Amino acid sequence: SNIDIFANSINSFLISVETTSGRNEGGRLTCRKEDSATTPNAERSSVFRNYGTQANLAVELKETDRNEVKFECRIYDASLAVVERFEKTLRKSYVVSQTMNLRRLGAKEIDTLVLMQNSELLFGELKERLRVKTLISNEGHISTFTVNTVNMTPDNQAGESGGELRLEVGQLIGDIVFNLRGRNGGIQTKVPPRPPQNPNRGADGHCQGGGTRGCDGGQGPRGFPANDGLPGYDGGNSGSIILSVLEKTDAEITINYSPGLGSKGSEPSGPGLGGLGGNPDSIMVPGGPCGGTDGRFGSRNATKCLDQTYSGRPGAQGPLGPRGKFGVTGETGLAVRSVYINDAEGIHDFIFQTWSNLRGPL
């Protein structure tokens, strides 16, 4: 496509020299990058044509070059004597064809920035400012975070908020999409501690006399209520874009707000154990007459059987305390105000979808 061809040649330049006389006939124009003096074959050369009045030298900036590259140039006459020296500074343009972090550009001011279809330029959580003379977008995207990384918040942390990008553009060509996403809250992995066991006991058994068995202890009291689960973590705010375009444009500008979602709260703790049951009480039943010289059954001369003691049962442990509730879900982040400023049209607020001719504080 045309945009592919343009993107592939965006950093190809032509250094031209023109004179009104033919004094450079048979001469040459040579240029080399300022930082390539020791690099073999780094110098480029072109002869003067049109009777020595014009020389055109094609140069190219590489991906590894700095944002601004200075060329040292010389003009030679036909005898190869240097007749003029000059410097030419070229500024690199950038093509984003896939996902790229804005910091990788290494530049705050760019002549031309091309966003290819479905490419994504990320500015993350930072506050950034970028100036671009010409921004060409073939349905490219500028986003805080990718959709695949909004769930990458570490456990037990709030979601990160998107940053703020002030994008100042001279000319905007083509449709562009801004995705302002906050990261979701991290998973709540902690669980509140279980309450201590109820230290109180059930009532002790107390026999009032009579009967043929002891008295049981009372049941212990109920355990303490479980602690409710811990709250989830809040999602991050969406981040914002302040887009300023100098020239009037027919570009379609879309902003998608996706604040981070809060994470779920944790499970409640286990309920507290009930108190121990009360101690039992015992009852003694005196022995009655029975046979046997030594008190054993069957002996005629015995006058009394042995006394009998009967003990009750310990009280049952109290029931578990009431169950707790799951922790509340963290809050969803906020959609932060973003605006589009066009000197020819005014200010557009993307949240309220309103236009204004008055510039308020941004």
Side-chain angles (χ1 to χ4, degrees):
S1 66
N2 291 336
I3 193 169
D4 291 323
I5 296 172
F6 174 74
N8 290 333
S9 60
I10 195 171
N11 282 310
S12 297
F13 298 88
L14 201 63
I15 299 177
S16 297
V17 174
E18 293 185 3
T19 61
T20 56
S21 66
R23 66 184 177 88
N24 294 325
E25 187 172 1
R28 305 184 69 84
L29 168 66
T30 65
C31 295
R32 71 161 70 235
K33 292 179 184 177
E34 185 181 46
D35 57 356
S36 62
T38 59
T39 304
N41 303 320
E43 191 170 74
R44 306 294 301 275
S45 178
S46 175
V47 298
F48 275 87
R49 303 183 186 277
N50 297 333
Y51 304 102
T53 62
Q54 185 177 44
N56 295 314
L57 181 61
V59 295
E60 185 175 358
L61 299 185
K62 305 292 185 183
E63 184 177 349
T64 54
D65 286 330
R66 296 190 300 268
N67 182 45
E68 288 188 350
V69 179
K70 185 181 293 184
F71 285 81
E72 297 173 340
C73 300
R74 298 178 182 182
I75 298 175
Y76 296 87
D77 62 15
S79 65
L80 299 184
V82 178
V83 296
E84 186 179 344
R85 301 172 187 263
F86 66 92
E87 293 181 345
K88 180 70 173 178
T89 299
L90 300 177
R91 181 174 289 174
K92 188 168 63 173
S93 296
Y94 294 84
V95 177
V96 180
S97 57
Q98 49 189 358
T99 301
M100 176 186 290
N101 196 296
L102 178 60
R103 283 166 285 185
R104 281 194 57 196
L105 294 181
K108 301 296 183 182
E109 295 190 13
I110 298 174
D111 277 356
T112 303
L113 175 63
V114 179
L115 301 179
M116 304 298 284
Q117 190 172 32
N118 297 323
S119 64
E120 195 164 26
L121 183 63
L122 306 174
F123 63 96
E125 76 287 0
L126 301 179
K127 188 173 184 178
E128 298 279 6
R129 188 170 195 155
L130 180 64
R131 293 178 177 174
V132 182
K133 286 186 178 179
T134 303
L135 175 54
I136 302 171
S137 175
N138 183 23
E139 297 180 358
H141 295 244
I142 295 180
S143 308
T144 51
F145 310 104
T146 67
V147 69
N148 295 325
T149 59
V150 294
N151 281 322
M152 293 181 65
T153 303
D155 293 347
N156 305 313
Q157 290 187 21
E160 201 167 29
S161 294
E164 176 189 279
L165 177 62
R166 288 177 174 257
L167 180 58
E168 300 171 8
V169 179
Q171 183 181 25
L172 176 59
I173 302 172
D175 299 339
I176 188 168
V177 179
F178 295 94
N179 301 302
L180 303 178
R181 304 180 177 110
R183 283 188 165 146
N184 297 334
I187 297 174
Q188 172 61 273
T189 64
K190 300 176 182 178
V191 176
R194 190 173 190 171
Q197 183 177 12
N198 193 327
N200 300 312
R201 302 181 63 116
D204 291 338
H206 184 65
C207 297
Q208 301 294 329
T212 58
R213 61 183 301 275
C215 300
D216 298 339
Q219 184 180 26
R222 189 174 191 180
F224 296 127
N227 290 315
D228 291 340
L230 300 175
Y233 289 92
D234 295 342
N237 298 335
S238 67
S240 63
I241 176 75
I242 299 175
L243 173 63
S244 176
V245 180
L246 183 62
E247 298 183 15
K248 188 172 182 178
T249 179
D250 294 328
E252 182 176 331
I253 302 169
T254 303
I255 287 194
N256 299 316
Y257 286 101
S258 300
L261 302 177
S263 62
K264 293 181 179 179
S266 74
E267 297 180 354
S269 72
L273 298 175
L276 298 177
N279 295 315
D281 193 13
S282 300
I283 186 171
M284 186 185 70
V285 179
C290 57
T293 56
D294 54 2
R296 295 177 183 174
F297 290 99
S299 178
R300 293 181 180 178
N301 297 326
T303 60
K304 183 181 179 182
C305 283
L306 298 177
D307 295 340
Q308 299 294 319
T309 300
Y310 297 95
S311 179
R313 292 172 296 184
Q317 183 175 1
L320 296 174
R323 294 181 177 180
K325 300 177 182 178
F326 279 79
V328 297
T329 300
E331 297 286 342
T332 298
L334 302 176
V336 183
R337 181 190 183 208
S338 291
V339 295
Y340 163 49
I341 306 167
N342 187 282
D343 284 3
E345 299 177 89
I347 300 176
H348 183 254
D349 190 307
F350 285 103
I351 290 183
F352 297 104
Q353 296 296 313
T354 58
W355 280 96
S356 171
N357 292 321
L358 301 176
R359 291 199 176 195
L362 299 176

